[in-house]
Amino acid sequence: MKFIDNDQRPMGHGRMLRKEDPRFVRGKGLFVDDVQLPGMLHLAILRAPVAHGRLVSIDVTVAEAHPKVKLVVTGAMLAQRKLAWMPTLSHDVQAVLVTDKVRFQGQEVAFVVAEDRYAARDALELIDVVYEPLPVVVDARAALDDGAPVIRDDLAGRTDNRIFDWETGNRAATDAVFAAADVVVRQDMVYPRVHPAPLETCAAVADHDAVDGALTLWCTTQAPHAHRTLYALIAGLPEHQIRVISPDIGGGFGNKVPIYPGYVCAIVASMLTGRPVKWAEDRSENLTSTCFARDYRMRGEIAATRDGRIRAIRTDVLADHGAFNGVAAPSRYPAGFFGVFTGSYDIEAAYASMTAVYTNKAPGGIAYACSFRITEAVYLIERLVDCLAHELDMDPVELRLKNLLRPDQFPYTTTTGWTYDSGDYEATLREALRIADYAGLRREQAEKRARGELMGIGVSCFTEAVGAGPRKDMDIAGLAMSDGAELQVHPTGTAVLRVSCQSQGQGHETTFAQIVAEQIGIAPADIKVVHGDTEHTPFGLGTYGSRSTSVSGAAAVVAARKVRDKAMLIASAMLEISVTDLVWDAGRIHVVGDPNSSVTIQDVARWAYGSGELPEGVDGGLAAQVHYDPSSLTYPNGAYICVVDVDPGTAVVTVRRFIAVDDCGTRINPMIIEGQVHRGLTDGVGMALMEMIAFDDDGNCLGASLMDYLLPSALEVPDWETGFTVTPSPHHPIGAKGVGESATVGSPPAVVNAVLDALRPYGLRHIDMPLTPSRVWEAISSTGLRE
Ligand code: MCN
Ligand code: CUN
């Protein structure tokens, strides 16, 4: 067990224990379900048992007669108020409650509001609903069949289940390179449907004041400001009357980006009853009805020269978006940032085409540390590179080294139009090879193979794209993706930073205090970070796509620098000397060449609010506010090496070692970065080996509990070995890039590549995730090489 050295108490960036943890480890956090208001009622949702079925009748009279029930609401009642449907984040609509037909199992059909949670749940049983079952579409390919049942017949003119066709890259140029290539490898692969599965499920407490018309909503949201605007649009409430509070959040992982029907139901219930109403879903509701992730079927092709120079990549994707297109991606990016599928390599031509379809499954998509579909893009290219290595009988590391982008190529614009800001990919990979002792591992593997043991070494190199986005390119639901920060220094020299991002466990209260501390020399302990309350924070689009450090963090830096500039001016009055004769030195301002003639930032703060004279044109107080529009995304990268053992008798995969080297530019708090990476690596092992939301042919969700939807625990993962390189982002004010999703993005292909490497003696090139013992066993058996 290693202990964290916290004695340094950094004045800025550095290893520092999290300020929020004393609250969490003592059980003093405040989560939405902890909110108790006088007279609060409880809401429970009736969910559809069928995946596709017309609503024939619904009888709520018995439920309404329950002594503790205050209100029962159906889709028809919402329709009267024009609230039965709500917009999604991607130009679609989603039913708040079913009015016409059920489109996925677990869909919201009606809700009950009662005096307590138990009564509300009990009364659900008293609602009598008759459904007329309809043929179910579970398979994305079947969704495109002629004569497939049309799931979204609510949309005018709809005759099929196609949501969109999308393409990127140059098709003709790519086809030409393929036609002339020495070697072409094709591999079909599925990135299965998985779920973010945060510890805390989704919840809301709505409190509508009928007298003054104000609505306060405590809610599990990663984007309180964007949600406030959308509620104003959905419910027709004036935006200044809405306050969204996102208190402590027990994990988001993308699950808490969308607006769910439950939130809207809670608001409606509070308006109708005149009392506060709480809705908190249970685990099964979370797993079956909230935003899933992935669900991509990809056909990948890679073209190369015989000596292993990658020339082109081509892919065709079938994307399953479920019953409503609830994807949270910037408007102009229906496939998120999948366009970065050329990965970390210098590739001359690339082309991707994609068709997205509706199926009778839960809506949403892209959530779960997805970086807007970069998870899928990285998996595609990193698996293809290994398939190519297999075909060329080349070492996968050697093949990657031959093709990685070189430092002198940055800024590098991919053939699909993404401009990577900076990186030294070879240095990152070499650092991983060093930590792993790659040559030693290959020797060990050879010895083991000779003894019939199955050991595998898997590599993946990835490029992330985070920090959405420049406002000219990116918006969600018409809201540009920029973020605010307000920094207020108090007369006694402490400070409050208000930000529009929203921590769900990432430690913003610590790292954002460190960001400001580094700039203005006030200790992080003396800087309070306020977030997650629209009444007390500036407008901004919130936390997802690992954008907080890149966007809100930049806003905080710029605000702090404004404060510093003003402090310099005030110091010039205090020291009676021109500002050009002053130097800033970590919280102290002194006269050039005379360090003893100085004032501290605390002295300046007191002066700024006091009666001392201020320079001409400078007003009192010490504060600044900023709205930051990033000029571009930041592009973190990493190189991962996974070592597995596969039991030849049971096909059980054990991840024995995992080496992760990440480059997220300037590192603010290395301890928090490591925590983020550990978490993401665990995600990756989970997705590669055990996680999948499966459905039967009737559309029944087979992963509705954590008994069936497996999550990795400490038992399934090794002691992570992490390393880093640092190539600062040239356009971020402190050179920081995001890191929150890097490990989730980069690790699944490393694990899968390792397993396939172990299975090399069987000649296998690919198995689809999750690589459960039964899947691996079947694959081995299918080769006929097992006795
Ligand atoms: N950091 C740092 N130095 C850097 C980059 C980041 O010290 N160069 C720190 C940041 O200051 C922050 C943390 O690392 O404290 C993550 O920063 P960033 O990469 O900016 O990501 P966000 O804060 O925007 O977090 C979002 C990201 C996403 S999209 C998912 S999904 C995810 C993730 O974070 N969900 C999480 N990590 C999570 N971690 C926890 N505990 N819970 C979740 O729900
Ligand atoms: Cu896509 S999961 Mo994170 O961006 O909230």
Side-chain angles (χ1 to χ4, degrees):
M1 171 70 107
K2 275 182 275 175
F3 288 95
I4 303 215
D5 171 15
N6 203 38
D7 298 338
Q8 298 149 297
R9 302 211 126 251
M11 268 307 279
H13 304 167
R15 221 167 254 279
M16 175 186 160
L17 291 184
R18 304 202 317 173
K19 290 169 67 172
E20 43 272 84
D21 282 346
R23 162 165 112 244
F24 292 140
V25 298
R26 288 176 173 84
K28 297 285 185 198
L30 178 80
F31 298 87
V32 174
D33 202 23
D34 294 324
V35 174
Q36 300 291 350
L37 300 179
M40 188 172 77
L41 299 171
H42 296 262
L43 185 151
I45 293 176
L46 181 71
R47 295 181 179 277
V50 298
H52 203 191
R54 204 155 292 288
L55 188 64
V56 177
S57 65
I58 176 162
D59 182 353
V60 300
T61 46
V62 183
E64 280 174 335
H66 186 291
K68 288 189 167 176
V69 167
K70 299 284 171 200
L71 179 73
V72 183
V73 171
T74 63
M77 292 166 68
L78 286 187
Q80 283 167 7
R81 294 176 167 78
K82 297 200 168 18
L83 286 174
W85 294 84
M86 62 177 187
T88 70
L89 296 176
S90 29
H91 311 289
D92 197 355
V93 289
Q94 174 173 357
V96 177
L97 294 178
V98 171
T99 48
D100 51 346
K101 70 175 187 182
V102 171
R103 293 178 170 85
F104 68 94
Q105 186 186 51
Q107 193 182 338
E108 298 77 4
V109 176
F111 69 80
V112 170
V113 181
E115 278 165 26
D116 59 59
R117 186 171 160 91
Y118 309 99
R121 290 251 153 175
D122 285 349
L124 294 181
E125 312 267 312
L126 306 176
I127 300 175
D128 191 16
V129 193
V130 177
Y131 303 97
E132 176 199 326
L134 296 168
V136 175
V137 185
V138 180
D139 181 69
R141 271 184 302 234
L144 289 172
D145 286 350
D146 286 341
V150 179
I151 295 168
R152 296 300 304 281
D153 49 355
D154 57 296
L155 300 172
R158 271 273 153 191
T159 54
D160 62 21
N161 294 312
R162 191 178 288 262
I163 306 175
F164 63 77
D165 290 303
W166 172 87
E167 61 174 1
T168 188
N170 186 326
R171 179 178 212 152
T174 307
D175 289 351
V177 176
F178 266 90
D182 299 346
V183 185
V184 171
V185 177
R186 172 194 281 193
Q187 182 62 56
D188 287 352
M189 53 189 99
V190 179
Y191 209 132
R193 179 176 269 241
V194 291
H195 198 279
L199 197 57
E200 177 202 34
T201 59
C202 297
V205 175
D207 187 12
H208 182 256
D209 185 328
V211 178
D212 65 11
L215 170 71
T216 305
L217 183 72
W218 284 262
C219 189
T220 47
T221 168
Q222 299 179 215
H225 289 276
H227 277 202
R228 183 186 61 188
T229 304
L230 291 171
Y231 288 124
L233 296 171
I234 298 171
L237 289 167
E239 195 167 351
H240 70 289
Q241 290 282 48
I242 306 176
R243 175 177 179 187
V244 177
I245 303 174
S246 183
D248 288 324
I249 299 291
F253 309 109
N255 193 227
K256 291 163 181 166
V257 175
I259 290 181
Y260 292 117
Y263 302 162
V264 179
C265 292
I267 295 171
V268 172
S270 180
M271 292 173 101
L272 292 178
T273 59
R275 304 209 355 213
V277 175
K278 178 186 284 184
W279 169 69
E281 68 185 3
D282 64 21
R283 179 63 57 192
S284 299
E285 293 182 283
N286 182 254
L287 285 171
T288 53
S289 72
T290 65
C291 200
F292 69 94
R294 328 287 189 250
D295 219 341
Y296 266 22
R297 283 167 184 280
M298 305 183 273
R299 158 150 303 177
E301 289 174 288
I302 188 163
T305 59
R306 180 65 40 216
D307 63 351
R309 174 93 200 113
I310 302 170
R311 299 193 55 208
I313 163 166
R314 191 160 64 184
T315 183
D316 185 44
V317 182
L318 181 57
D320 185 338
H321 284 225
F324 306 98
N325 187 19
V327 161
S331 297
R332 267 166 269 171
Y333 299 81
F337 298 169
F338 188 79
V340 300
F341 68 100
T342 55
S344 305
Y345 311 104
D346 188 8
I347 296 180
E348 59 185 279
Y351 176 72
S353 56
M354 183 181 295
T355 298
V357 296
Y358 291 120
T359 57
N360 289 118
K361 298 186 207 165
I366 87 158
Y368 192 178
C370 59
S371 274
F372 298 126
R373 301 286 192 193
I374 293 179
T375 33
E376 290 90 326
V378 165
Y379 184 71
L380 173 79
I381 177 86
E382 288 307 297
R383 271 289 36 242
L384 280 178
V385 170
D386 259 45
C387 292
L388 178 64
H390 186 278
E391 181 72 23
L392 297 173
D393 202 15
M394 215 171 146
D395 180 278
V397 167
E398 191 193 331
L399 179 57
R400 284 179 171 80
L401 284 171
K402 233 184 174 118
N403 292 283
L404 283 176
L405 289 164
R406 297 184 315 275
D408 60 287
Q409 288 176 287
F410 292 93
Y412 172 83
T413 302
T414 68
T415 169
T416 48
W418 299 76
T419 302
Y420 297 178
D421 53 354
S422 63
D424 185 343
Y425 293 178
E426 182 176 335
T428 309
L429 177 54
R430 292 221 181 265
E431 176 63 359
L433 297 171
R434 184 191 69 76
I435 298 172
D437 179 18
Y438 187 69
L441 285 172
R442 285 290 175 208
R443 279 195 299 277
E444 181 190 347
Q445 182 186 42
E447 287 161 21
K448 289 196 163 156
R449 261 187 198 159
R451 297 199 294 267
E453 292 172 34
L454 301 174
M455 166 183 165
I457 306 156
V459 182
S460 107
C461 294
F462 66 90
T463 300
E464 255 272 63
V466 302
R471 53 179 297 149
K472 64 180 179 359
D473 296 330
M474 292 175 200
D475 72 275
I476 287 189
L479 298 170
M481 300 184 78
S482 45
D483 277 79
E486 290 172 13
L487 178 61
Q488 171 95 47
V489 181
H490 303 135
T492 54
T494 61
V496 171
L497 175 74
R498 300 169 193 281
V499 284
S500 50
C501 58
Q502 159 59 39
S503 180
Q504 309 119 40
Q506 295 90 341
H508 293 173
E509 287 166 43
T510 306
T511 48
F512 277 66
Q514 291 184 273
I515 288 174
V516 171
E518 177 88 13
Q519 298 301 320
I520 61 171
I522 293 177
D526 289 338
I527 302 169
K528 176 172 163 179
V529 177
V530 176
H531 61 90
D533 182 341
T534 55
E535 211 90 309
H536 295 299
T537 54
F539 191 90
L541 276 231
T543 292
Y544 41 85
S546 302
R547 62 191 295 283
S548 303
T549 307
S550 298
V551 190
S552 287
V557 172
V558 177
R561 286 183 181 165
K562 281 190 174 185
V563 163
R564 192 167 78 187
D565 290 346
K566 182 169 181 183
M568 292 288 280
L569 289 176
I570 295 174
S572 78
M574 294 169 75
L575 294 166
E576 297 180 340
I577 194 164
S578 157
V579 73
T580 52
D581 291 326
L582 290 176
V583 282
W584 171 266
D585 180 16
R588 186 169 277 278
I589 300 161
H590 65 78
V591 176
V592 179
D594 180 9
N596 291 326
S597 190
S598 70
V599 291
T600 63
I601 183 83
Q602 287 81 6
D603 297 333
V604 172
R606 199 170 315 121
W607 188 282
Y609 293 95
S611 51
E613 203 180 322
L614 294 170
E616 182 88 9
V618 174
D619 52 7
L622 193 55
Q625 78 179 62
V626 162
H627 197 76
Y628 185 82
D629 174 25
S631 62
S632 173
L633 298 167
T634 65
Y635 291 82
N637 73 283
Y640 290 177
I641 300 177
C642 176
V643 182
V644 300
D645 296 310
V646 181
D647 186 322
T650 60
V652 170
V653 175
T654 306
V655 178
R656 175 164 32 112
R657 282 183 72 193
F658 201 110
I659 296 91
V661 176
D662 274 275
D663 189 337
C664 57
T666 303
R667 293 152 60 84
I668 297 152
N669 185 329
M671 182 202 74
I672 286 187
I673 293 172
E674 282 162 18
Q676 289 291 307
V677 170
H678 291 181
R679 190 217 85 246
L681 297 176
T682 310
D683 285 351
V685 169
M687 287 183 288
L689 300 183
M690 59 193 86
E691 293 178 36
M692 176 168 78
I693 304 189
F695 295 83
D696 69 12
D697 291 345
D698 295 325
N700 293 308
C701 180
L702 304 178
S705 82
L706 294 182
M707 295 294 286
D708 301 304
Y709 186 72
L710 297 183
L711 295 179
S713 71
L715 295 178
E716 282 85 21
V717 297
D719 274 344
W720 308 110
E721 300 168 63
T722 54
F724 64 94
T725 52
V726 176
T727 37
S729 169
H731 62 77
H732 185 277
I734 54 170
K737 305 177 179 185
V739 77
E741 295 161 307
S742 290
T744 314
V745 163
S747 56
V751 179
V752 176
N753 287 347
V755 175
L756 270 306
D757 185 57
L759 300 180
R760 205 53 204 276
Y762 294 99
L764 289 162
R765 203 177 72 185
H766 180 74
I767 309 173
D768 275 326
M769 297 188 285
L771 303 181
T772 56
S774 70
R775 280 196 179 184
V776 175
W777 182 267
E778 269 169 41
I780 294 176
S781 304
S782 72
T783 62
L785 293 173
R786 274 195 69 85
E787 62 288 352

